[in-house]
Structure formats: C-alpha cells, structure tokens
Amino acid sequence: MNTTTLPQESLPDAEVCELDLGIGGMTCASCVSRVEKALKKQPGVMAATVNLATETARVSLNTADTPDSTEVLARLKRAVRDAGYEPRAVEAMDEEVAKGWLGVPRDAWPVILGALLSAPLALPMVGDLAGKHWMLPAWIQFLLAMPVQFVLGARFYKAGWHALKALTGNMELLVAIGTTAGWALSTWLWWRADAGEMVHLYYEGSAVVITLVLLGKWLEARAKRQTTEAIRALHALRPENAHLLPDGVRRTELTDVPVDELLPGDVIRVLPGERFAADGTVVAGSTQADESMLTGEAMPVHKTVGDAVTGGSLNGEGAVEVRVRAVGAQSVLSRIIALVQDAQAGKAPVQRMVDQVAAVFVPAVLVIALITLGAWLWQGALLEDALLHAVAVLVIACPCALGLATPAAIMAGTGVAARHGILIKDAQALEIAHRVDTVAFDKTGTLTEGHPRLRRLVAMPGVDERALLQTAAALQAQSAHPLARAVVEAAQEQGIEVSPESATDVQAVAGRGSQGQVQGTVLALGSLRWMGELKVALGHLQAEAEAEQGAGASVSVLASQAPDGGWVPLALLSFGDEPKAGAAQAIAELRERGIRVVMVSGDNQGAATAMALRLGLRPDAGEVIAEVLPGDKASVVRQLKEGGHTVAMVGDGVNDAPALAAADVGMAMSHAQGGSSDVAMHAAGITLMRGDPLLVSAALDISRRTVGKIRQNLFWAFAYNVAGIPLAALGFLSPVVAGAAMALSSVSVLTNALLLKRWRAPQR
C-alpha cells in the first residue's frame, strides 16, 4: 500500500490519509498494545500501528467521517495522553538529547543520581564478600532510598497508575509493585524493630533495581538512536541554501535562497564540494557526482549538460548550473526518506504473535508472583523471604525485550539496506523476501542496458534506406519506448532531420508497435508477431529476420498500408542490446543460493534465447519465457506462484507494474531521474535505487539476515522469561540480580539487532 506521511499539524481534504505521531513514555510491548487500542477507539480512525523502537504511531484516518482536522488531531493527542503517554511531534523524537549540567546528556542524570544514592546501600553486600560488616544505620538507608524510590522512580508509579486505570499492565507496573513491596517491607521491619536492634533491611534491593532499570532504559534509548541514524543521515543530505541564478526579470544577480523556496524551472549554481539542492538537469558545465548515500554506488558518476542530478548528492570538482525539476515531497531524496520511514513504521506479520502474548503477559506475571508469595508462605518461609521471591518474579518478567525484538531488527535492517541503495517499502516485503525461491527478471532495462541501438536497416529493393529511416524516425519521435528512441538516435547520428510534426494520428499499439500517418501514408512499425497479425508478406526480408534473431537481435518491420487495405513491407530494422555489467554474476549468485532464475521477455524466442545464453541462463531448463506481451507478465508470475513457488519479480518500467504487484515480492529498479519507473516503484515492495542486478541478491540477503535477527531476538526474549521467571520463583535470583538481568535482556536484543549495521552488499 502506498502511504503518505503527513505533518502532525495538518491534514489534506482526502478520503483516507495517514499521519505519524510521536509518543513518549512507552517501554514495553504492553504499552504498544494499550496505545493502539486507545487510538483505534477514536472517531474516523481506520487503523493504528505503534512502533516501540521509533516511539511513533502511524494512524490511518477516514477524513470523510472526520472533516475537522484540528479536532481529529486534538482527539488523537488526548487519547495518547489519557492512556498515560506523551504525544509529541515526530521531528522531536529524532532530535539528539541535549547536554545538561557538566556536559552530561540530560537523560543520563537520573541514572547517575540513582547510582550515587544506591552505591552506599549496596556497599554492605560487597563488604559481606570480604568478611566486613559495613551496614549503615537504618535511618541513613531510609534517607538514601526515599529519593530513589519516589523521585527517580516516580515515572514507574505514574505509568503504572495509568495502566491500572486502563485495567491492563505494563513494565512500569511490575517495577512499581515489586520495588514498593521491597521498600515497604524494609520500612515495616525497621518500624517494628526494638530500639538499638540491628535488623536486616532491603532498601538496597529496591534502589538498585530502579537504578538498573533506569540504566537499561538509557542504554535502550542510545541504541534506538543508532537504529534511526539512517533517517537522520538522509535528512542531513539536504543543504540549507541554494545559489539561485538571475532570470533577467525578477532577479538580476546571484541570490542565496532557502532550499524550501526553490521552484521547478529555477536555475541554480552548484559549486565544487556542495550538495545539489534539488533534483534537476545540468544546463551548463560538467562534474562528477557522488550519489553513494542515495544509490549505494561507490564510484562518482560523470555529469554533463543534459544529465539528471539528484538533490542531496555531492558535487565533485566542477561548478555546474542546474535547472530544477522536482522539489519538496516530489524529489528523489524525499521519496527515499518516505519509503524508509514507511518500512520502519510498519509492523511485521510476526509481530502479531508478540502483541497477542503481550496482551496477557503482565496479568499472568502478577498471578505468578502471587502464587510464588503464597507457595513460599505455605512452605513456612518468613514473610520477608517470600515477598522478596515474589518481587524477583515481578522484576525479571518485564516484557521490554519482547516489544523491541522485531522493530529494532527491522529498523536496523531497513536502515543499512537504504545505505546500499535498497529501499524496503514495508515490513511484510522484508519478511517474505527471505522465503523467495524463484526470481523472475524482466529483460530490457533490467538484465540488459535497456538502450538498444539500431544495428541494421534492410530496405526492400528500390527503396531509399535514408528516406525510410527519416520516415521511421518521424513515426517514432513521440514514443518513449527504447526501440523508438534507438530509431530516432540512429537518424540523428546520420545527420537526418527528424520532423515529429510530419507524423499524424500516431498511436501506440500495446506490446506490438506504433501506427500513424507520415506525409499521408499510413504506416505501421512493430514486431514480427504484429506483422503476422496484419498478414504482411515479408518476402526476402523473412530470411534476414531469421538471421538477425539467431544472432540475438530484436527485429521490427516498417510496413505501409496499400489502397486495398493490405500491408506492404518497406524495411526490416534490427536492434541490439547489451547485458548489464554484473547481470551474469547476479544470476550466478542467485543460483548458488538455490534460487531459480527466470527471464521474462517480449522478444521472440530466438532473440531471447541468444541474450539468455550471454547471461548464463539455461533456456533448455525453462529459464527463458519469451514472446510475452506486457499485459501477460502478471499471468506468468501467477503461474509461477501456482507452481508452489515464492516469487520475486524484478522490473523497471510501467509495463512491469502489474507483474510487480502480482509477485510475492516486487523489486523495482529505479532510475535517479524518475520517469516511468515511478509507477513500478509504487507497485513494488522493494526499490533498488540503481540499475544493478547484483542488488537483487543483496536485497534477498539482507532480508534473510534481518528475519534471522528477528527470530534470534524473539527466541532470547521468550527464553529469558521462560528461564528467568521459574528461577526467581524458586528463590535462585534476588531482586537485584533480576533487575540486572531484565535490563541486560533489552540491551542485548538491541545490540544483536545493531549487528546488522555491519552488513555489506556484494560487490561486482
């Protein structure tokens, strides 16, 4: 589904729209479930998806039911606040944490203060190991524990209270109940002790647990910021200002203006070492452009007059003038950022299982803690011992790791993929891609350069070849088809004047060719199949066509309509294309992974087979499907799926969009200049930002690795609780150890996900 991320302040007058809300204060999978339920209850909300790792919610709204955008946003914010969380602007969630006193990050101070107050309380535990008795007086322990419990720990009480009001539970509720029980037990033991009696208190347990939980949350926040650095890096590519050239009317001198004020058609100057301020076309000068942050292409790309440049890419050694083509949300960089944000805001199918578990997890833990308390008392244990075991159960069972397991891996995986030119539109495509066992490639522009050249023009006897080329070029001048462009380029190279106005009533016949009138003569230029349908007798051109097809060329015929309505051949045109660099290697790599590769082509069988052999494909093994009309590519994909295969379709043009949508995973090869591939991008779940077939194998590989990390994270998150809760209930874990383990589980899940940042795409 194509999503549109809207600013928090405004909504368009559309039937359905989507917006992102920042949400502060979420800590576990239970929080995610509670916020989603609160948002879905609001009028006009069709769906709501909350991401714990990004701390954002994506809300789908039916604006026909809720035309007042101000009221809608107010209700959503109120719902978030009533659920116990803080609505924020999405932009604020991505900001770096400000420095506080002494240059220490502001969010680190609660951890530092907690450690300073808890250290004296925990010191006797260290002393016991050395045979020393450093127990502090009860009143000092009380004074040290109070600010930790009720000032630094106030966040747990606040969030836990909101959870109770909603008749649900979350991590804070478990921590609040557990630590309060330890603090209250210590206070009661001190209060009932005789004067001068040295009684063992448990203030250190509650204080250290709160400090460890705060430490864990601080480490989580740091790790989360690392998982979102891909988005921040993309935002950082936008320059602040542009050098706007004079237009002779309104501006008579070079002016520096904010990039937001640029308009299509403006001409800007880009100096060496600066970033291009917008998408455009070079109109003066030449240079090298570093597009690595956008496409993953490590080598600079030469740019001269007429070449497209992408906003955000880095200019090399030359000063150039660029005519602005696209700005704002229409720019390539904005579309890339939107795609990455969509993927990171989405929820993978496997996350549904986690949400179902989280919904019953906290209530189940509270029951287990009560059973633990009752069982120990029934066995004759002292109240304080039984209570400590129950507290340990509450502390170790916090479902933080469960809530972070999936989104953290998805964010890290989509982020590193984006840096290598692979844009994953949604989490579902990421999760399905690792199961792909068949890859279907479109031929032209995907496995081949897509810039065919006119190799030969064979005219019928007595007909002037140069005049025929001029006529064919006039007929094709208005078409964007690669073969049509090849005809026009061949005419221009021979110095032939191409006059598009001389062609009238030109129509494209889908999958066949073009038809129109040139200087009053009705002409058709297209495939041999079409010529057969028109009953064109090729005569001696038939042998030429077969010879060219055997050599791997694509063959078209130019025919004119006779007065009796029949068709007479005028010339045969032979076109040649070249395989892309790395195409054969990409096919070989996929085959090594055990993936079947199929090439789908509209060419005749001979031409398709000849190209397939150059690419290393095996036509005798069914790896070439030729003579496929554009509208039938989707049927080919469906047939492959009906054979029990998980299919990825790779294409780059408008005519590939139905097949991309029909595949389990569609992969669109994008071109920096946009154009027809935009349609393919919208239909596909994965966009490859440069036309390198090796990226197909890379996309499947990062999908496999990301899904692997999700499974690892979920395994350890579940295993941690499955093992930790019984150990705590049986008395093998103290609350302090349980708190440390709980904090470690969340950090370990995030650290494991961040290992994906070390992934590198295969190189040619």
Side-chain angles (χ1 to χ4, degrees):
M1 182 178 66
N2 185 29
T3 59
T4 303
T5 302
L6 303 175
Q8 193 174 359
E9 288 75 19
S10 63
L11 292 174
D13 295 329
E15 288 295 321
V16 179
C17 70
E18 294 186 341
L19 62 88
D20 288 346
L21 291 172
I23 301 175
M26 295 190 300
T27 56
C28 66
S30 297
C31 300
V32 170
S33 177
R34 186 141 57 95
V35 175
E36 286 182 348
K37 289 179 181 178
L39 291 173
K40 289 176 181 177
K41 291 179 181 178
Q42 303 310 305
V45 174
M46 302 171 62
T49 302
V50 176
N51 188 312
L52 177 61
T54 58
E55 295 184 292
T56 59
R58 172 153 292 179
V59 184
S60 298
L61 293 166
N62 185 341
T63 55
D65 294 341
T66 53
D68 189 340
S69 60
T70 304
E71 181 180 344
V72 172
L73 291 170
R75 287 183 181 278
L76 293 176
K77 293 177 184 178
R78 179 69 59 82
V80 170
R81 193 174 301 280
D82 289 345
Y85 303 95
E86 181 183 355
R88 301 176 184 173
V90 175
E91 294 77 9
M93 309 302 291
D94 292 331
E95 294 176 356
E96 291 290 342
V97 177
K99 297 293 184 181
W101 187 48
L102 299 178
V104 177
R106 194 171 297 168
D107 65 342
W109 272 112
V111 180
I112 295 173
L113 293 175
L116 291 174
L117 292 170
S118 301
L121 294 172
L123 191 62
M125 299 170 60
V126 180
D128 288 341
L129 298 176
K132 305 293 184 180
H133 298 287
W134 296 336
M135 185 66 67
L136 296 173
W139 65 273
I140 295 180
Q141 294 186 52
F142 178 80
L143 292 178
L144 289 171
M146 279 286 287
V148 177
Q149 186 69 44
F150 298 107
V151 179
L152 300 180
R155 55 181 288 182
F156 302 114
Y157 289 102
K158 179 181 177 181
W161 171 243
H162 283 289
L164 281 177
K165 287 196 298 182
L167 299 179
T168 183
N170 57 11
M171 185 203 80
E172 285 89 348
L173 180 62
L174 297 180
V175 173
I177 293 175
T179 57
T180 301
W183 181 88
L185 173 63
S186 300
T187 304
W188 179 68
L189 291 174
W190 174 37
W191 174 73
R192 74 166 198 163
D194 297 332
E197 179 183 356
M198 197 64 163
V199 63
H200 182 74
L201 305 177
Y202 303 97
Y203 286 122
E204 83 286 347
S206 297
V208 171
V209 164
I210 288 176
T211 302
L212 287 172
V213 174
L214 292 175
L215 173 63
K217 302 313 293 180
W218 180 69
L219 293 174
E220 280 179 29
R222 289 192 61 192
K224 287 177 185 176
R225 286 194 290 273
Q226 292 183 52
T227 62
T228 57
E229 70 177 16
I231 292 290
R232 289 200 300 273
L234 289 171
H235 279 295
L237 295 180
R238 289 190 173 117
E240 294 289 333
N241 298 302
H243 310 304
L244 186 60
L245 288 170
D247 60 5
V249 180
R250 293 168 299 166
R251 298 180 303 279
T252 58
E253 59 183 15
L254 187 70
T255 309
D256 284 353
V257 299
V259 170
D260 292 342
E261 296 181 13
L262 288 178
L263 298 172
D266 285 341
V267 179
I268 59 175
R269 178 172 294 158
V270 185
L271 302 177
E274 293 183 337
R275 293 197 179 274
F276 291 96
D279 296 355
T281 304
V282 177
V283 294
S286 63
T287 187
Q288 300 281 332
D290 180 357
E291 301 177 339
S292 57
M293 277 299 294
L294 298 171
T295 67
E297 176 58 64
M299 298 298 294
V301 182
H302 181 69
K303 301 290 183 181
T304 188
V305 175
D307 289 339
V309 293
T310 308
S313 56
L314 185 64
N315 186 24
E317 75 286 352
V320 292
E321 295 179 6
V322 175
R323 186 176 303 281
V324 175
R325 187 183 67 250
V327 295
Q330 302 304 315
S331 68
V332 171
L333 179 58
S334 293
R335 294 204 305 270
I336 291 174
I337 292 174
L339 282 172
V340 177
Q341 287 176 328
D342 287 348
Q344 295 190 344
K347 184 173 290 189
V350 71
Q351 185 68 23
R352 299 191 191 103
M353 176 191 67
V354 177
D355 293 343
Q356 292 170 356
V357 172
V360 298
F361 189 82
V362 173
V365 169
L366 290 172
V367 172
I368 293 172
L370 289 174
I371 293 174
T372 300
L373 177 64
W376 279 96
L377 291 174
W378 182 65
Q379 290 290 329
L382 296 175
L383 175 61
E384 50 263 40
D385 292 333
L387 196 56
L388 286 176
H389 298 323
V391 168
V393 170
L394 292 172
V395 171
I396 202 169
C398 297
C400 316
L402 276 178
L404 292 168
T406 300
I410 288 175
M411 291 174 63
T414 54
V416 72
R419 288 204 301 273
H420 288 82
I422 302 168
L423 301 184
I424 300 170
K425 184 191 293 186
D426 54 56
Q428 184 172 357
L430 181 72
E431 189 170 334
I432 294 175
H434 83 284
R435 301 200 305 266
V436 166
D437 59 16
T438 301
V439 175
F441 283 96
D442 171 58
K443 180 180 78 71
T444 304
T446 304
L447 288 176
T448 66
E449 291 292 345
H451 301 294
R453 297 183 62 82
L454 180 64
R455 300 194 338 172
R456 293 183 65 198
L457 187 150
V458 182
M460 292 293 287
V463 183
D464 181 43
E465 289 188 4
R466 188 176 178 87
L468 282 179
L469 181 56
Q470 184 177 32
T471 299
L475 182 64
Q476 300 286 61
Q478 301 176 32
S479 173
H481 193 280
L483 297 185
R485 292 200 301 268
V487 173
V488 175
E489 289 171 1
Q492 293 172 340
E493 288 173 1
Q494 294 187 28
I496 297 173
E497 182 181 354
V498 180
S499 304
E501 61 275 5
S502 65
T504 59
D505 298 329
V506 178
Q507 296 179 346
V509 183
R512 290 167 175 80
S514 299
Q515 182 175 328
Q517 291 189 38
V518 177
Q519 296 179 346
T521 302
V522 179
L523 299 170
L525 176 56
S527 66
L528 291 176
R529 174 192 290 183
W530 191 25
M531 294 300 113
E533 294 173 358
L534 296 177
K535 296 181 172 53
V536 178
L538 296 180
H540 82 279
L541 292 181
Q542 183 67 45
E544 293 283 357
E546 292 174 357
E548 290 295 321
Q549 287 178 342
S554 296
V555 177
S556 295
V557 172
L558 177 65
S560 64
Q561 191 172 38
D564 61 1
W567 292 88
V568 179
L570 297 177
L572 177 144
L573 294 84
S574 171
F575 302 89
D577 200 357
E578 291 297 317
K580 281 187 176 179
Q585 180 185 341
I587 291 171
E589 285 190 4
L590 290 169
R591 191 173 284 137
E592 288 176 5
R593 294 176 180 270
I595 296 174
R596 181 190 178 200
V597 181
V598 176
M599 184 181 77
V600 182
S601 173
D603 289 346
N604 61 79
Q605 189 67 48
T609 298
M611 179 57 70
L613 292 174
R614 296 178 67 183
L615 292 167
L617 288 166
R618 300 185 291 242
D620 56 342
E623 294 182 349
V624 178
I625 304 175
E627 300 180 10
V628 179
L629 294 175
D632 294 336
K633 290 181 181 179
S635 298
V636 171
V637 170
R638 282 191 286 269
Q639 289 172 10
L640 291 171
K641 291 172 63 177
E642 289 169 2
H645 298 288
T646 303
V647 180
M649 175 68 195
V650 188
D652 73 326
V654 171
N655 58 9
D656 297 322
L660 293 172
D664 294 292
V665 178
M667 296 190 188
M669 279 191 177
S670 173
H671 303 291
Q673 65 269 29
S676 64
S677 65
D678 288 352
V679 178
M681 287 173 62
H682 290 307
I686 297 176
T687 297
L688 311 178
M689 286 305 297
R690 64 181 191 272
D692 186 351
L694 280 173
L695 286 183
V696 176
S697 176
L700 298 179
D701 184 57
I702 189 59
S703 167
R704 179 181 61 82
R705 293 176 184 270
T706 303
V707 172
K709 288 298 181 187
I710 291 173
R711 289 173 174 171
Q712 292 170 18
N713 285 348
L714 289 176
F715 170 79
W716 287 114
F718 279 113
Y720 159 82
N721 283 294
V722 169
I725 292 175
L727 288 174
L730 294 173
F732 293 107
L733 297 178
S734 69
V736 172
V737 174
M742 185 270 293
L744 182 63
S745 69
S746 299
V747 176
S748 63
V749 162
L750 283 165
T751 303
N752 187 45
L754 288 172
L755 291 176
L756 285 169
K757 294 173 65 178
R758 299 162 57 185
W759 178 83
R760 294 292 180 269
Q763 299 297 316
R764 188 163 54 241

